[in-house]
Amino acid sequence: MWHRYACLIVAANVAGAATASAASPDTPCGKHDAGAAGNVALPAMSIKTALYGVAVSGRLLKVDLDGGKTTILSDHGFESMPSLRASADGRWLSYSGVLKTGNKTQYWLYDRRRHSEQLVYEHPAWGGGIPAFSPDSRYLAIGAAYDSRWGGASGDGLFLFDTQTSRLLPVKLPPGISGRQAWPSTSWSRDGTLLLLARGLLPDARFSYVGYHPASTRSSMLSGQYDAQEHRYTFKRGNKTIPAADEGVPRSDIAHESGWSPGRQWHAYFDQRQDSRPYQLLVADKAGAIRPVAVGGYSQCEGYTLNIIGWFDERHLLYRSGMTTYRVFDAETGNTADLPGEDDMPLSFTW
């Protein structure tokens, strides 16, 4: 079983009751009952989906759910778990972090189609941000702000890596704005035409908002503000808000209130999830037949103990139980299976 961010294959009986018990508000973090183990071996599930993720060791891993095999795709000696981002078309994985030597931050790009990787950029340790893919998956935006620990070294700036040409392109900023200053936000407009940049200048926390147009290589000043509810910056041109693209965070890191299977045969949702009272995670078919999946509660340190992550395919629903256990519900067979693995398993993953 996965010991840190464990993934467990779980399926509900057609008429069976949920097996996971709810946590009380006073339950210690990560100590609520995660439910019973699976009743079949993983190969019997025939899940064809593969997981791609990063582990606490800094490795990039692939986990084949069909047989439980874990493959190390990359190990560049990162100091800790690197950041992970996935392109919208699913082809590219960006992972970056500080090396164990402590002298460099590296940005790598893995091609799932060709099963190859390449070093995109590097600079002295610290001062780096999390890269962001354009909605069309062509560009990867990289921002590196100068850090005083660099000494006299260089490497700061804003860049776009073009996945079509494998070229690293500098981003031109408006006059008077230096790439050396911090860029806490690097994102894209939903239509992919603008790279959106928010720059914070200390100590008075003044912000500048910039839009960069890759097609023309021109940039322009925008207005904006930080949206505390969405935990991201919003950008405006005049009085019109610029719709933002998804950030491409790993699927394991996103929780949903509900979710349909790809062919909309099944719908997963929560029944009366509010306050600290126990609630149920349920799935319903198109005819309205309901099947219980698990019972959750509320923990003061974990929040809601059940979260919907997404569907692997038309049958298998992935959800998170507590902070460290992931489970998949088989909506057709009612079988359950533990996902075997080692301690060095993905903590953040996508598929």
Side-chain angles (χ1 to χ4, degrees), residues 76 92-96 105-110 117-123 131 133 139-142 159-163 166-169:
H76 296 292
W92 305 99
L93 295 174
S94 165
Y95 51 105
S96 57
T105 295
Q106 290 188 336
Y107 302 82
W108 289 84
L109 193 64
Y110 183 82
E117 64 174 352
Q118 57 184 314
L119 178 63
V120 174
Y121 189 65
E122 63 181 8
H123 58 74
F133 281 104
Y139 295 109
L140 178 68
I142 299 172
F159 308 92
L160 290 182
F161 182 79
D162 189 336
T163 61
S166 294
R167 294 178 58 200
L168 190 69
L169 310 171

Side-chain angles (χ1 to χ4, degrees), residues 12-350:
N13 292 317
V14 173
T19 59
S21 62
S24 71
D26 297 326
T27 301
C29 291
K31 297 299 184 181
H32 70 274
D33 183 8
N39 62 359
V40 299
L42 181 64
M45 303 292 288
S46 298
I47 302 174
K48 304 303 181 184
T49 304
L51 302 182
Y52 292 82
V54 290
V56 68
S57 65
R59 294 170 171 170
L60 179 69
L61 305 175
K62 176 184 177 182
V63 180
D64 292 300
L65 298 183
D66 196 15
K69 178 183 178 182
T70 299
T71 304
I72 299 174
L73 301 176
S74 175
D75 186 1
H76 296 292
F78 287 117
E79 183 177 52
S80 58
M81 188 179 74
S83 64
L84 179 69
R85 290 293 184 267
S87 62
D89 63 4
R91 177 177 177 179
W92 305 99
L93 295 174
S94 165
Y95 51 105
S96 57
V98 178
L99 300 182
K100 292 178 181 178
T101 58
N103 63 345
K104 285 184 180 179
T105 295
Q106 290 188 336
Y107 302 82
W108 289 84
L109 193 64
Y110 183 82
D111 187 343
R112 289 174 56 177
R113 183 184 302 171
R114 297 182 177 178
H115 311 291
S116 62
E117 64 174 352
Q118 57 184 314
L119 178 63
V120 174
Y121 189 65
E122 63 181 8
H123 58 74
W126 318 114
I130 299 177
F133 281 104
S134 59
D136 64 1
S137 304
R138 177 173 179 175
Y139 295 109
L140 178 68
I142 299 172
Y146 179 79
D147 189 287
S148 60
R149 288 169 287 187
W150 290 10
S154 61
D156 55 282
L158 290 162
F159 308 92
L160 290 182
F161 182 79
D162 189 336
T163 61
Q164 291 185 4
T165 64
S166 294
R167 294 178 58 200
L168 190 69
L169 310 171
V171 172
K172 298 179 180 179
L173 300 175
I177 294 183
S178 169
R180 241 169 205 252
Q181 295 161 329
W183 292 87
S185 174
T186 302
S187 57
W188 292 85
S189 62
R190 188 177 300 167
D191 62 9
T193 61
L194 283 178
L195 174 64
L196 303 173
L197 307 165
R199 177 180 64 88
L201 182 61
L202 298 176
D204 54 357
R206 289 184 294 110
F207 279 83
S208 297
Y209 300 89
V210 176
Y212 177 77
H213 189 248
S216 65
T217 68
R218 294 179 180 177
S219 58
S220 58
M221 300 301 299
L222 305 172
S223 60
Q225 63 183 17
Y226 183 73
D227 187 331
Q229 184 174 0
E230 295 295 329
H231 304 291
R232 66 187 302 177
Y233 290 87
T234 59
F235 296 80
K236 290 185 177 181
R237 178 175 279 124
N239 294 323
K240 187 176 180 180
T241 298
I242 301 173
D246 291 336
E247 295 179 315
V249 299
R251 294 188 182 188
S252 64
D253 299 352
I254 305 175
H256 303 278
E257 291 293 326
S258 64
W260 285 93
S261 61
R264 301 185 72 84
Q265 297 294 316
W266 300 93
H267 183 229
Y269 64 98
F270 294 107
D271 178 42
Q272 298 180 344
R273 185 167 80 163
Q274 56 184 334
D275 302 325
S276 59
R277 290 175 288 180
Y279 57 91
Q280 281 191 306
L281 170 59
L282 306 169
V283 296
D285 62 19
K286 291 195 300 184
I290 298 174
R291 300 180 180 181
V293 179
V295 176
Y298 186 87
S299 167
Q300 291 181 351
C301 61
E302 297 178 8
Y304 289 114
T305 59
L306 295 179
N307 290 281
I308 296 170
I309 304 302
W311 292 82
F312 282 140
D313 50 35
E314 199 58 36
R315 296 172 50 175
H316 303 101
L317 170 71
L318 178 68
Y319 69 95
R320 186 172 64 237
S321 178
M323 299 175 64
T324 59
T325 302
Y326 289 87
R327 293 182 164 172
V328 181
F329 176 85
D330 187 330
E332 292 187 6
T333 68
N335 290 326
T336 66
D338 293 350
L339 182 66
E342 304 171 356
D343 290 336
D344 187 18
M345 295 299 289
L347 298 185
S348 185
F349 57 87
T350 191

